[in-house]
Amino acid sequence: MIQVVQQPMEQEYFSHILHIQTHAENIKYALALAFSIYEINRNHDLLPNMSLKFTLTEYSCCSESEGMSLIHLSLQNHDILPNYVCKNINKCEMALTRLNWATTVIIYTILNNFIFQQFLQITYGSYHPVLSDYEKFPYLHQMASDHTSLALALAAFIIHFSWNWVGLVISDNDQGIQFLSYLRREMGKSTLCFALVSMIPVDMDLYMSRAEVYHNQTMTSSASVVIIYGDTDSTLAVSFRMWESLGIQRLWVTTSQWDVSPSMKDFTFGDKYGTFAFGQHHSEISGFKNFVQTLNSAKCPDEYLVEVEWMHFNCEISASKCKTLKNCSSNLSLEWLMVHTFDMAFIEGSYDIYNAVYAFAHALHEMTFQKFDNMPKDNGKEYSSSCKKLYSSLRKTHFTNPVGDRVNMNQRDKLKEDYDIFYIRNFPQSLEFKLK
């Protein structure tokens, strides 16, 4: 949750992130959010005399199923009362979420009907066609692309290597079907053919009843190059756990969200062929590493960076001793660990967070300092009106971010995306080779 306050926010404010107990990927998202807000608060030309702050809710770092249970419990206990707010609100707030489309719809409904009217919500997860309906979701914006550019890039990539007989495995949902349509259209232009199109159902019970069928489709296909497209927390991921454990060998072509630590044995792709991963291109975010290192001066900053990623390093000692950084690095220099375990590049989604926060700041700046002389007074109608104006401004916002990349929030006028391509090979002892 991001909101505006009229007071300075010192860097120490962000140090509470260090105490979050969650997966390293979630920590990286929180750090990206904190750094974006910290950078904006230091910019005297953007929102002068105002600061952004954020709140990580109790749902921020739990699993989606746990989050939904907490939401239903809150509603049952009347912690959230419909159409009633127990505090005065005179500023618009923004929720930044990464959930599947069904949960996103539930959160959106609760925010806009049970808590505040016209509560802004931006998602930084995968793009979902269902959420692109402006009439149904007028105050929701997706940062992710619909991947029409990715389909074009994949087709060009396949042509480059003269692969005219490839496989495709996708999730059987709106997201996967739309991507299939895009890719089929691009491949048809160059007479490229699918040797295999396997659509994995998202329902776990349905998937398990036919798991052997989907397995045999891939095993018996003549395609040695297989494109995979879908979320890593889906039944599609279950298929890959099984295929990897059985030693199925293919050259996988996918998106960078599937680039996970080789220490996670059940997610490694075939070690013989490796993986090509397409990731959204962006310029290097300068200052991020220094920001993380200086969050808590009382704690060794480099130790913290290694702690965040300690599970990515294969300690040659017992698992119990590996729980503490000091034991884990007893025979190795901290500098060596820093080089080999912590990747300070923004992961998939972090760059969308960065641009989402800047877009919110630019839209708020535009509404506050250029279009309107006075901020709305503290009453429901004017608050609701101001949020409508803010979101209208947000949807039209376009700017150049601090690293020089153009950002256009108008989803109907999106710029064509550029992609970086990484080649990834996983080796024994949890070693990974990654080449851009």
Side-chain angles (χ1 to χ4, degrees):
M1 206 74 70
I2 302 174
Q3 58 186 162
V4 183
V5 293
Q6 292 184 315
Q7 66 184 63
M9 303 299 298
E10 302 298 333
Q11 187 169 359
E12 289 75 17
Y13 163 77
F14 303 101
S15 62
H16 68 276
I17 292 176
L18 305 182
H19 307 295
I20 297 176
Q21 300 297 316
T22 185
H23 189 275
E25 184 175 288
N26 291 335
I27 291 289
K28 286 185 175 182
Y29 289 138
L31 290 172
L33 173 63
F35 174 71
S36 307
I37 291 177
Y38 171 72
E39 202 174 63
I40 289 171
N41 289 346
R42 296 179 63 198
N43 186 341
H44 299 296
D45 297 324
L46 190 59
L47 296 177
N49 298 322
M50 304 172 74
S51 297
L52 296 181
K53 62 181 294 187
F54 68 97
T55 303
L56 294 175
T57 71
E58 59 182 318
Y59 316 125
S60 296
C61 299
C62 57
S63 69
E64 231 163 87
S65 59
E66 291 172 331
M68 288 306 303
S69 296
L70 288 170
I71 291 171
H72 287 304
L73 183 63
S74 296
L75 290 172
Q76 290 174 2
N77 294 337
H78 302 287
D79 293 338
I80 299 174
L81 300 178
N83 303 318
Y84 187 79
V85 180
C86 300
K87 61 178 181 178
N88 292 328
I89 302 293
N90 59 6
K91 297 288 192 301
C92 295
E93 298 183 358
M94 182 183 79
L96 197 56
T97 62
R98 182 186 177 92
L99 303 163
N100 66 36
W101 73 267
T103 310
T104 299
V105 170
I106 293 174
I107 295 293
Y108 178 88
T109 303
I110 291 174
L111 290 176
N112 280 279
N113 294 289
F114 292 167
I115 303 181
F116 307 124
Q117 293 293 315
Q118 287 82 50
F119 199 107
L120 307 185
Q121 183 179 357
I122 294 183
T123 70
Y124 62 96
S126 301
Y127 177 87
H128 294 282
V130 172
L131 303 178
S132 63
D133 190 329
Y134 287 136
E135 292 185 3
K136 289 184 178 179
F137 309 105
Y139 305 106
L140 185 147
H141 185 91
Q142 299 185 85
M143 293 301 298
S145 162
D146 63 2
H147 281 168
T148 52
S149 296
L150 177 61
L152 177 62
L154 281 171
F157 185 70
I158 292 168
I159 292 170
H160 175 79
F161 287 105
S162 301
W163 298 328
N164 58 358
W165 192 242
V166 299
L168 175 67
V169 183
I170 59 174
S171 296
D172 188 4
N173 55 16
D174 290 340
Q175 180 187 8
I177 293 171
Q178 184 181 69
F179 181 72
L180 171 61
S181 174
Y182 292 151
L183 187 58
R184 196 189 295 276
R185 180 182 62 197
E186 295 300 334
M187 291 182 65
K189 294 177 182 177
S190 304
T191 62
L192 303 175
C193 298
F194 288 119
L196 161 74
V197 176
S198 182
M199 303 176 68
I200 308 296
V202 295
D203 180 81
M204 180 60 74
D205 292 334
L206 180 58
Y207 166 75
M208 293 304 296
S209 68
R210 294 176 54 83
E212 186 176 352
V213 174
Y214 303 120
H215 171 68
N216 291 336
Q217 283 179 344
T218 305
M219 287 292 291
T220 59
S221 171
S222 60
S224 58
V225 178
V226 179
I227 299 169
I228 57 174
Y229 181 83
D231 294 330
T232 57
D233 57 350
S234 63
T235 50
L236 181 60
V238 175
S239 289
F240 278 99
R241 292 192 191 100
M242 179 177 64
W243 293 339
E244 194 277 332
S245 65
L246 294 175
I248 180 173
Q249 295 182 329
R250 296 289 187 273
L251 180 60
W252 307 111
V253 182
T254 184
T255 55
S256 60
Q257 64 176 322
W258 287 85
D259 172 24
V260 296
S261 166
S263 63
M264 298 172 65
K265 298 293 186 182
D266 57 350
F267 261 109
T268 54
F269 295 105
D271 349 19
K272 181 178 179 181
Y273 293 98
T275 306
F276 283 105
F278 281 66
Q280 179 186 7
H281 172 77
H282 60 80
S283 303
E284 183 179 354
I285 311 294
S286 62
F288 179 54
K289 182 175 181 178
N290 182 67
F291 168 78
V292 176
Q293 287 178 313
T294 56
L295 269 183
N296 191 343
S297 58
K299 187 183 185 80
C300 174
D302 287 347
E303 274 193 21
Y304 172 68
L305 293 181
V306 178
E307 284 178 346
V308 170
E309 296 279 306
W310 75 268
M311 69 290 289
H312 289 192
F313 180 71
N314 187 33
C315 302
E316 296 182 357
I317 52 179
S318 69
S320 59
K321 291 183 179 179
C322 198
K323 290 181 180 178
T324 62
L325 174 68
K326 290 183 180 180
N327 288 331
C328 184
S329 59
S330 58
N331 297 322
L332 300 165
S333 73
L334 195 60
E335 182 179 357
W336 190 94
L337 280 171
M338 283 293 298
V339 171
H340 290 276
T341 66
F342 195 83
D343 181 7
M344 289 305 298
F346 270 25
I347 61 173
E348 186 85 11
S350 295
Y351 189 60
D352 284 337
I353 292 175
Y354 186 75
N355 286 333
V357 177
Y358 265 96
F360 177 70
H362 277 282
L364 188 61
H365 184 100
E366 172 78 8
M367 188 189 80
T368 305
F369 296 103
Q370 295 183 25
K371 288 188 175 180
F372 305 101
D373 295 328
N374 300 307
M375 289 297 289
K377 296 179 181 179
D378 186 16
N379 65 64
K381 290 183 179 180
E382 292 186 343
Y383 167 75
S384 174
S385 175
S386 72
C387 288
K388 289 180 180 179
K389 292 173 182 176
L390 175 58
Y391 190 68
S392 176
S393 178
L394 177 71
R395 287 172 55 179
K396 300 173 185 175
T397 296
H398 55 88
F399 58 95
T400 300
N401 67 19
V403 297
D405 294 340
R406 290 289 300 163
V407 179
N408 187 351
M409 296 295 286
N410 185 343
Q411 291 183 310
R412 293 189 173 91
D413 190 28
K414 282 279 189 179
L415 301 172
K416 283 189 176 181
E417 290 187 319
D418 292 329
Y419 291 90
D420 291 327
I421 306 174
F422 301 92
Y423 177 64
I424 304 163
R425 281 285 302 276
N426 294 330
F427 297 96
Q429 304 302 318
S430 299
L431 297 176
E432 178 187 83
F433 171 79
K434 183 176 181 180
L435 177 68
K436 184 176 178 180

